[in-house]
Amino acid sequence: MTKAVVFGTGSWGTTFAMILAEAGTSTTLWGRRAEVVEAIARRHENPEYLPGVALPPSLRATTDPAEAMEGADFVVLAVPSQTLRGNLAAWRPHLPDHAVLVSLMKGIELRTSKRMSEVICEVAGVPEERVAVVSGPNLVGELIRREPAATVVASVDEKVTARLQEACHLPWFRAYTNADVVGVELGGAVKNVIALAVGVAAGMGLGDNVRATLMTRGLAEISRLGAALGADPHTFAGLAGMGDLVASCTSPLSRNRTFGENLGRGMTLAETIAATRQTAEGVKSCESVLDLARKHDVEMPITEVVVGVVHDGMTPREAAMLLLSRTPKPERYGV
Ligand SMILES: NC(=O)c1ccc[n+]([C@@H]2O[C@H](COP(=O)([O-])OP(=O)(O)OC[C@H]3O[C@@H](n4cnc5c(N)ncnc54)[C@H](O)[C@@H]3O)[C@@H](O)[C@H]2O)c1
Ligand SMILES: O=P(O)(O)OC[C@H](O)CO
């Protein structure tokens, strides 16, 4: 039987552990807080992140990383992106020799501008063949009701993606494989930034034309950055590209979109942060995405104004004026 451990009892870590367990994978959740772990292990409920959701009785939980990782084929990582490096360094001594490390995270590391799979290879000291990522339009608020959804599992090693696909595939949760790790990770991280922009526009009371324009030009930004980093352009037309972008930019369940909407309505950054209970990765990653773009000489005007509004005191109105006053250009070469 395939064995997995999921690090992180937040909304996605818990939900993905539920999916793995329901797919017949022997699964353990690792969490920091004893009371949450205790509730998952004894009452089959995560009262902090998924109150009222019945988790599979077969799902185990522990606070001990060594116990959690014993014999694991997949070590799944679902902590906030900016905490991955420190956490993984602490967990590394317990990693089973042949385990595959799986990232569920949609962020880019601040300071280094590294993708999560790059951080994993560096900190765990494993080759890229032992790393996989899972990304797609996977809003937890729908998955916990077992509403149909699909995702992408990506790795450079097709044997790894086949095993991971089997470990998490369910009648209501379709996992597709892809070899393009770079594209799949970029799609997930940058759509959060575009969802912030769409949220700001919605909060300002702007309509569907603006939202559609931001999503489309946002996809152009994702694709340009992807091209510079060697991603497969087809990935961005898929679930981890357009699919995830559409879900986050249109759903009231998206934390990034909601965060932007609050800013667009006139809430201050401090008020917006206080109103956000869960991880909205784009808030931090917009800066590292912009750094990455600048390192590779890629123009990302929507990302630039998101950084301006979230971190540099730019007003939503100033951001809109900046985007609208850009030089007219052909769509195809819209840089
Ligand atoms: N929720 C979704 O719909 C969803 C879907 C797909 C991908 N993701 C991605 O999954 C990742 C995790 O998101 P989430 O939704 O589970 O977030 P969350 O905010 O619901 O949970 C984060 C978890 O990390 C823990 N945590 C916080 N700081 C920590 C630290 N310093 N060290 C260790 N643990 C810490 C929290 O206690 C919590 O258990 C993010 O990168 C997110 O973009 C989320
Ligand atoms: O709530 P968001 O904005 O972090 O989006 C959640 C997931 O990334 C959707 O797949």
Side-chain angles (χ1 to χ4, degrees):
M1 191 186 218
T2 302
K3 238 179 139 180
V5 52
V6 179
F7 280 85
T9 54
S11 33
W12 187 213
T14 306
T15 305
F16 194 72
M18 172 186 105
I19 289 170
L20 287 166
E22 283 195 17
T25 299
S26 166
T27 307
T28 303
L29 257 171
W30 172 92
R32 296 184 292 177
R33 281 193 286 276
E35 65 280 12
V36 176
V37 163
E38 174 95 356
I40 295 169
R42 296 203 193 287
R43 303 205 318 266
H44 315 298
E45 188 195 2
N46 180 339
E48 194 180 10
Y49 285 93
L50 305 177
V53 175
L55 299 171
S58 64
L59 181 60
R60 287 176 298 277
T62 177
T63 54
D64 179 352
E67 180 192 331
M69 271 193 271
E70 212 181 310
D73 302 293
F74 292 111
V75 174
V76 182
L77 302 161
V79 289
S81 297
Q82 307 305 331
T83 76
L84 173 66
R85 184 175 289 274
N87 277 313
L88 189 53
W91 297 330
R92 179 182 168 160
H94 312 293
L95 276 176
D97 277 348
H98 299 290
V100 169
L101 288 91
V102 182
S103 166
L104 300 189
M105 298 158 289
K106 294 178 176 174
I108 301 289
E109 192 177 51
L110 288 164
R111 287 182 308 103
T112 65
S113 309
K114 288 191 173 165
R115 291 174 285 106
M116 292 297 104
S117 67
E118 294 179 297
V119 175
I120 291 170
C121 287
E122 192 180 309
V123 177
V126 296
E128 60 179 352
E129 290 75 15
R130 274 186 56 198
V131 178
V133 305
V134 177
S135 193
N138 299 146
L139 293 157
V140 157
E142 296 176 6
L143 294 172
I144 51 168
R145 296 195 296 264
R146 293 172 176 77
E147 289 183 16
T151 201
V152 179
V153 297
S155 168
V156 296
D157 184 339
E158 64 182 30
K159 290 193 290 300
V160 165
T161 47
R163 277 170 57 215
L164 183 55
Q165 180 183 46
E166 194 184 336
C168 67
H169 199 92
L170 285 168
W172 56 270
F173 189 75
R174 290 183 64 75
Y176 290 81
T177 60
N178 192 327
D180 179 20
V181 174
V182 177
V184 168
E185 283 189 300
L186 284 181
V190 186
K191 69 85 192 175
N192 286 331
V193 181
I194 306 304
L196 283 167
V198 170
V200 170
M204 292 169 77
L206 299 171
D208 289 334
N209 290 335
V210 171
R211 288 177 230 173
T213 302
L214 285 170
M215 286 165 65
T216 310
R217 297 311 300 161
L219 190 59
E221 289 190 16
I222 296 172
S223 304
R224 281 202 295 275
L225 184 61
L229 295 176
D232 176 350
H234 293 106
T235 301
F236 303 119
L239 289 163
M242 195 177 76
D244 203 4
L245 182 74
V246 170
S248 281
C249 291
T250 59
S251 175
L253 294 174
S254 163
R255 296 158 301 182
N256 289 284
R257 187 191 190 279
T258 305
F259 193 101
E261 206 171 333
N262 285 334
L263 288 176
R265 280 204 193 101
M267 277 169 68
T268 63
L269 181 61
E271 287 166 346
T272 308
I273 290 172
T276 310
R277 272 199 59 243
Q278 295 173 19
T279 312
E281 290 279 19
V283 175
K284 288 187 175 153
S285 285
C286 60
E287 291 191 290
S288 37
V289 168
L290 190 56
D291 283 347
L292 190 59
R294 286 182 174 152
K295 273 184 198 156
H296 292 271
D297 212 14
V298 175
E299 203 179 3
M300 297 185 72
I302 301 172
T303 304
E304 271 181 43
V305 300
V306 168
V307 172
V309 170
V310 176
H311 295 289
D312 298 332
M314 186 186 285
T315 65
R317 195 178 156 73
E318 284 166 346
M321 293 313 292
L322 259 179
L323 288 177
L324 288 166
S325 60
R326 285 168 53 77
T327 319
K329 44 180 67 82
E331 184 179 36
R332 185 174 165 74
Y333 305 105
V335 288

